Amino acid sequence: MAATAKLYRRGQWQQDEDGTETVVDVWEITTTTETDTITTVVTATGIPAKGASHPEKTTAIVVNRQLSQDDEVLTRYLMQVTYSTAITTREDQAYASQRVKGGMRSGSIAVPAFYDARGYPLVNSAGDLYEGLTRKIRTRVVNVTANFATIPQFLFELADTINLSAVTIHGVSYPTGCCLLRDVEMPDEPERDVAGSLYWPISYTIEINPGGYYILLPNKGPNELVYQTRTSSTAAWQDVTKATYDGKTPTTDRRIIKRPIQTEEQQQTGGEIWLDDNGQAVRVPVLTGTQFGTGTMTAGSATLTLSTGSFDSTKHVGALVRVIGAGPRGKTLEARIQSIASTSSATLAINASTTISTAKPVWLSGVIVNQFILEDLADWTAVPLPNNQP
């Protein structure tokens, strides 16, 4: 038993409103007997296979094949082959060949608000913080579905973690600490693909915060650190400055204690007071709402180089700085100053996402902050991520 095929008719073409083009060819297939199987007919030499490109319109691939038998000549068949330029999903292929799917939508999370858009603390004229305010952070929520031959226990173990290293989702690279994996779900029963193989379609959510999953909190409290030295092992301890403490030798004649912050009248303050980077009270903070200067940064680097303005290592270590244009997609980068190398160079707690070679505004109010990561960092190397852009 055998079957031969030849092109019977070509040229039916259609273009839809969305620009999708459809081409329909008809093939004539002749068998040696009337009892040849369908498998023999559809595998005749020359018949285009599913997914094959059209010989003239190569961007169109076979998406549908329909076979009908001649009513009068039972050894004659006509197969209608439809080509289309529409993007396909591979749902009719083996589960391992199907794409990792990931629809995306915008979202938001609420975080405590201690600063306005310039990085200026939300305080009254006496420096007291307005409590209980929040602000929205825009996020991207990706609903992912990936197929597995066995139950992926590692995905459940990675739930509620953030990416330890950079990951790429839909063609966009996100740096460390920007993506949160949560809501891992598995169906009650496995599914079966077109080849008859069983597989597990696992769904999970990745929430992307391009600015990073960390929180900035004001460096304030009811207690302060007090630096003390003594002249000998039997002498009384005396309060000194941090600089005097650092220079005191031997180290057995210096110490740090914690003490409730008091007013000049030796009364309890009854609330939280701003602290400097050394943990000492700043009873009347000097904060500014004007632009600090201008600076440049390189993507992937935490170094901020000032073009105008000047860093003060005694005041600005630990301060909140906002660099216009250095964040994801040219947004504002908000970070804590980790160290100051010179009056024009500082290292921030977060790397820049965007290079700014032309100096842009830098805002620095002067208040000290602490930066924390509240989610566990984890290795996402084995996590399937959607990258289905055409």
Side-chain angles (χ1 to χ4, degrees), residues 95-390:
Y95 73 90
S97 300
Q98 296 179 23
R99 288 176 172 148
V100 177
K101 295 181 283 294
M104 185 164 63
R105 61 180 174 82
S106 64
S108 65
I109 56 175
V111 298
F114 303 106
Y115 314 95
D116 67 8
R118 303 163 300 173
Y120 190 77
L122 300 174
V123 296
N124 60 23
S125 56
D128 297 324
L129 191 69
Y130 293 109
E131 303 285 354
L133 300 178
T134 61
R135 64 188 179 100
K136 281 189 175 182
I137 298 293
R138 301 305 304 176
T139 63
R140 300 175 183 182
V141 182
V142 183
N143 299 315
V144 184
T145 300
N147 299 329
F148 295 87
T150 58
I151 298 173
Q153 300 293 346
F154 75 94
L155 269 182
F156 291 91
E157 295 164 359
L158 288 176
D160 298 315
T161 64
I162 55 179
N163 56 311
L164 179 62
S165 56
V167 296
T168 300
I169 300 175
H170 287 315
V172 178
S173 178
Y174 296 98
T176 298
C178 289
C179 301
L180 172 65
L181 191 155
R182 56 181 177 83
D183 300 336
V184 181
E185 293 188 23
M186 183 185 75
D188 294 336
E189 299 287 343
E191 296 186 9
R192 193 181 301 275
D193 66 9
V194 293
S197 300
L198 294 176
Y199 69 96
W200 294 94
I202 307 298
S203 63
Y204 45 95
T205 299
I206 296 177
E207 188 159 14
I208 304 168
N209 179 359
Y213 278 95
Y214 62 87
I215 187 171
L216 291 170
L217 297 178
N219 194 43
K220 58 198 300 284
N223 303 311
E224 67 175 335
L225 298 181
V226 178
Y227 298 86
Q228 296 183 331
T229 62
R230 61 185 179 182
T231 57
S232 68
S233 61
T234 58
W237 292 98
Q238 300 292 326
D239 295 355
V240 297
T241 64
K242 177 66 162 53
T244 300
Y245 168 87
D246 289 338
K248 180 63 178 178
T249 56
T251 57
T252 53
D253 287 335
R254 67 180 188 182
R255 70 178 184 179
I256 303 174
I257 63 173
K258 183 188 291 187
R259 178 186 295 164
I261 301 173
Q262 297 180 335
T263 65
E264 292 184 355
E265 292 78 21
Q266 306 300 311
Q267 300 296 317
Q268 298 291 330
T269 58
E272 295 187 336
I273 301 296
W274 291 101
L275 304 172
D276 63 16
D277 194 48
N278 296 322
Q280 294 189 298
V282 181
R283 291 171 175 79
V284 183
V286 178
L287 309 175
T288 177
T290 59
Q291 183 177 322
F292 177 72
T294 59
T296 59
M297 294 191 75
T298 302
S301 171
T303 300
L304 169 61
T305 303
L306 292 180
S307 300
T308 60
S310 179
F311 288 123
D312 185 339
S313 59
T314 65
K315 298 179 181 178
H316 294 153
V317 174
L320 173 69
V321 65
R322 291 172 59 85
V323 186
I324 307 302
R329 297 299 184 194
K331 293 184 177 181
T332 299
L333 175 67
E334 182 181 76
R336 181 182 188 271
I337 296 178
Q338 293 290 76
S339 62
I340 294 177
S342 67
T343 56
S344 61
S345 178
T347 300
L348 309 186
I350 300 175
N351 292 340
S353 298
T354 306
T355 295
I356 48 173
S357 54
T358 301
K360 291 193 176 182
V362 175
W363 293 81
L364 193 157
S365 68
V367 72
I368 305 300
V369 297
N370 294 309
Q371 188 166 316
F372 303 97
I373 298 176
L374 301 183
E375 307 290 347
D376 290 332
L377 290 163
D379 183 0
W380 283 20
T381 303
V383 177
L385 300 173
N387 283 288
N388 295 341
Q389 70 282 358

